[in-house]
Amino acid sequence: MTALEKEPTTPAQGEPLVVLSDVQKWYGDLHVLKDINLTVHRGEVVVVIGPSGSGKSTLCRTINRLETIGEGSIQLDGKPLPEEGKALANLRAEVGMVFQSFNLFAHKTILENVTLGPIKVRGVKKADADAKAQELLDRVGVGHQAAKYPAQLSGGQQQRVAIARALAMEPKVMLFDEPTSALDPEMISEVLDVMVTLAKGGMTMVVVTHEMGFARTAADRVVFMADGQIVEENTPEEFFTNPQSPRAQDFLGKILKH
Amino acid sequence: MEAITTDFDLYLKGFGLTVGLFVASGIASLVFGALLAAARVGPISVLAKASAAYVTLFRNTPLLMIFIFIAIAMPRIGFTFNFVEEIRVGDWNISGFFFRACLALTLYTSAFVCEAFRSGINAVPIGQAEAARALGLTFGQNMTNIVMPQALRAVVPPLTSVQIALAKNTSVAAAFGIAEATATMRLLGNRYGDQTVEIFFFIAVGYIIIVEIVALGSYALERRWKAAAR
Ligand SMILES: Nc1ncnc2c1ncn2[C@@H]1O[C@H](COP(=O)(O)OP(=O)(O)OP(=O)(O)O)[C@@H](O)[C@H]1O
Ligand SMILES: [Mg+2]
């Protein structure tokens, strides 16, 4: 999987790329995001972890405005997220998203899944988009499946295509919402390998996952959420070996038992 | 037999009009119904509400009433739509009657087409549209590239039923001075009182042929799409 690694770009830890300030969100009466302050720096990999219903997906989805927020602000690369229209579409093009359920376009071939965004959103010529897509599919190891339809691929292969589809837009940041939770155990590592390589290659990533192996190898920081709040933030090593809050200790106690 | 053989040109003319009404209103209702469905699921709430109100109004009103409104009430208040008679293609032109019938059929059928499309759109998993949004596709691109093509597959059977109903609903136009197939049946029945059964039989066969063509086309589409994906 070394093919995914880019030229060792300067590990530009530094400038803030995604900045959430005092973000609040409600679903009706349910307060799902409470006082969220989170800054993701360029090149940083942040793993978000926490119990079911704690708001991890919602947090992820607010960053490309698939969900709107009630209060506060979110900035990408120094600019507040646009409200709607063409500007919002352009923002989304800059933020790659990988879903738990892959969500490949069922009526399009693997190659078309990857070229659709570049052609329709970026206006890339078909021949160029095809070449780039083929290269990306080769990199994630599904190049020979390009002509098939999503339903003909295994879950692990579909998720790697979904990653290639997001990468084809050359996003500034990639969001992953439990990318391996829907996969059979034997397929998890093939997807995580791709993600680790991406991380090492300098991609800015926000990853909701319970895969501790991934967090330890690839994450710069772990963010622990509970009840819509960020309860604890730390390096993976510190967080897993020495959690500070009772909520995190309790949570880790539960997942480590398995 | 002689009712059909001697006046075969009448028979053909009648069905020509029936087919004309069907094809014109069929295409117009598919286009208008798809637009209504897009408005219904779209992000602009005024349009969504207007579309819902339209469907409620036209789906719950008997077709005959819509015909009476368009063909009788509207001309009384000055909307004859006779300007369409000015449109000439060669020596052929549309009659005001024909246009009003198409209008009534289209307004009525579009409500059903909209509901068929809406059920098809709802059959497309939400993640499909979401993934497209996440890539940066606009609402329009999302509808035309992702949602509608998949909705179409789910929508062929209900749309076929709607269009078959339309083919038969064209007969309502008989009551409004259009000599389509059903009006022709009545005319021939008056002329050849002793052959009503044969006349009825031949007219029925004509409708069956039209409906079967629609049904066969629909099966062919279904088969092709099944072969194309998965
Ligand atoms: N569309 C919605 N409408 C109403 N409530 C919602 C909606 N989506 C999520 N919620 C609620 O918001 C809370 C946070 O949900 P979210 O999906 O962000 O949690 P999560 O941390 O991702 O959980 P999981 O680990 O199960 O994926 C939950 O209580 C959930 O029931
Ligand atoms: Mg979730």
Side-chain angles (χ1 to χ4, degrees), chain A residues 61 64 66 86 89 92-93 95 97 99 103-108 116 120-121 149 151 165 169, chain B residues 126-138 141 145-147 149-150 153 228-230:
Chain A
R61 293 160 58 86
N64 66 354
L66 280 181
K86 196 69 198 151
R92 288 184 175 141
V95 180
M97 179 135 193
F99 302 86
N103 295 348
L104 293 183
F105 304 127
H107 62 306
K108 300 217 172 267
L116 184 83
K120 298 290 174 189
V121 178
Y149 284 90
R165 174 174 71 177
M169 300 300 286
Chain B
I126 185 91
Q128 296 284 306
E130 211 158 61
R133 273 203 289 157
L135 279 179
L137 268 71
T138 60
Q141 289 176 322
N145 292 286
I146 305 300
V147 179
Q150 292 188 69
R153 285 149 215 241
R230 71 190 76 187

Side-chain angles (χ1 to χ4, degrees), chain B residues 97-146:
Chain B
F97 275 134
F98 182 85
F99 183 83
R100 288 193 291 269
C102 283
L103 188 61
L105 287 165
T106 300
L107 290 176
Y108 178 76
T109 309
S110 296
F112 293 88
V113 170
C114 170
E115 285 304 277
F117 272 122
R118 199 167 66 92
S119 72
I121 289 168
N122 289 339
V124 179
I126 185 91
Q128 296 284 306
E130 211 158 61
R133 273 203 289 157
L135 279 179
L137 268 71
T138 60
F139 175 75
Q141 289 176 322
N142 202 340
M143 284 311 269
T144 51
N145 292 286
I146 305 300

Side-chain angles (χ1 to χ4, degrees), chain A residues 27 30 32 51-58 178:
Chain A
Y27 282 122
L30 189 65
V32 285
S52 182
S54 55
K56 306 177 301 289
S57 297
T58 311
E178 304 208 28

Side-chain angles (χ1 to χ4, degrees), chain B residues 15 18-19 22 164 167 170 205-215:
Chain B
F15 268 106
T18 291
V19 170
F22 171 55
I164 286 173
T170 54
V205 166
Y207 278 107
I208 288 169
I209 289 171
I210 294 175
V211 168
E212 278 305 304
I213 289 172
V214 174

Side-chain angles (χ1 to χ4, degrees), chain A:
Chain A
M1 281 297 158
T2 49
L4 259 186
E5 268 165 282
K6 296 179 207 157
E7 286 299 305
T9 45
T10 39
Q13 293 272 348
E15 317 129 68
L17 186 59
V18 183
V19 181
L20 291 89
S21 316
D22 299 317
V23 170
Q24 315 280 350
K25 177 169 178 72
W26 289 267
Y27 282 122
D29 290 336
L30 189 65
H31 198 172
V32 285
L33 292 180
K34 299 174 187 159
D35 311 313
I36 300 289
N37 285 288
L38 179 70
T39 300
V40 182
H41 301 266
R42 207 179 290 276
E44 195 181 15
V45 177
V46 173
V47 158
V48 181
I49 196 167
S52 182
S54 55
K56 306 177 301 289
S57 297
T58 311
L59 175 72
C60 224
R61 293 160 58 86
T62 57
I63 296 174
N64 66 354
R65 223 167 189 279
L66 280 181
E67 300 286 352
T68 56
I69 57 175
E71 284 174 19
S73 76
I74 301 179
Q75 296 207 333
L76 179 79
D77 217 357
K79 288 184 288 272
L81 302 193
E83 300 267 305
E84 54 194 30
K86 196 69 198 151
L88 178 56
N90 287 338
L91 161 99
R92 288 184 175 141
E94 312 251 271
V95 180
M97 179 135 193
V98 175
F99 302 86
Q100 181 175 350
S101 48
F102 331 133
N103 295 348
L104 293 183
F105 304 127
H107 62 306
K108 300 217 172 267
T109 64
I110 298 306
L111 192 75
E112 289 166 346
N113 264 274
V114 181
T115 57
L116 184 83
I119 291 173
K120 298 290 174 189
V121 178
R122 298 255 194 250
V124 175
K125 283 203 207 72
K126 188 176 175 302
D128 298 341
D130 283 354
K132 172 94 183 293
Q134 189 59 53
E135 184 195 317
L136 281 167
L137 289 170
D138 289 339
R139 280 208 237 163
V140 299
V142 285
H144 54 295
Q145 316 271 27
K148 291 190 178 163
Y149 284 90
Q152 296 169 290
L153 268 59
S154 74
Q157 292 172 328
Q158 289 191 50
Q159 194 61 301
R160 286 184 278 151
V161 173
I163 294 173
R165 174 174 71 177
L167 286 174
M169 300 300 286
E170 298 178 347
K172 289 180 175 158
V173 51
M174 292 267 285
L175 310 172
F176 294 81
D177 188 3
E178 304 208 28
T180 56
S181 308
L183 295 176
D184 294 335
E186 73 270 21
M187 292 171 189
I188 290 177
S189 67
E190 66 191 46
V191 172
L192 289 180
D193 285 348
V194 170
M195 289 169 60
V196 168
T197 320
L198 257 186
K200 303 269 186 234
M203 176 60 78
T204 311
M205 295 162 67
V206 175
V207 184
V208 178
T209 186
H210 291 165
E211 295 292 336
M212 267 184 289
F214 174 79
R216 280 174 188 271
T217 2
D220 297 299
R221 188 158 39 126
V222 172
V223 169
F224 175 74
M225 283 186 80
D227 293 330
Q229 278 172 310
I230 294 180
V231 177
E232 195 169 332
E233 279 186 67
N234 219 329
T235 60
E237 210 44 51
E238 270 298 300
F239 178 77
F240 289 117
T241 50
N242 189 17
Q244 301 296 308
S245 61
R247 292 295 310 257
Q249 288 161 3
D250 181 51
F251 176 75
L252 286 177
K254 274 182 196 139
I255 62 168
L256 287 176
K257 251 182 241 152
H258 300 297

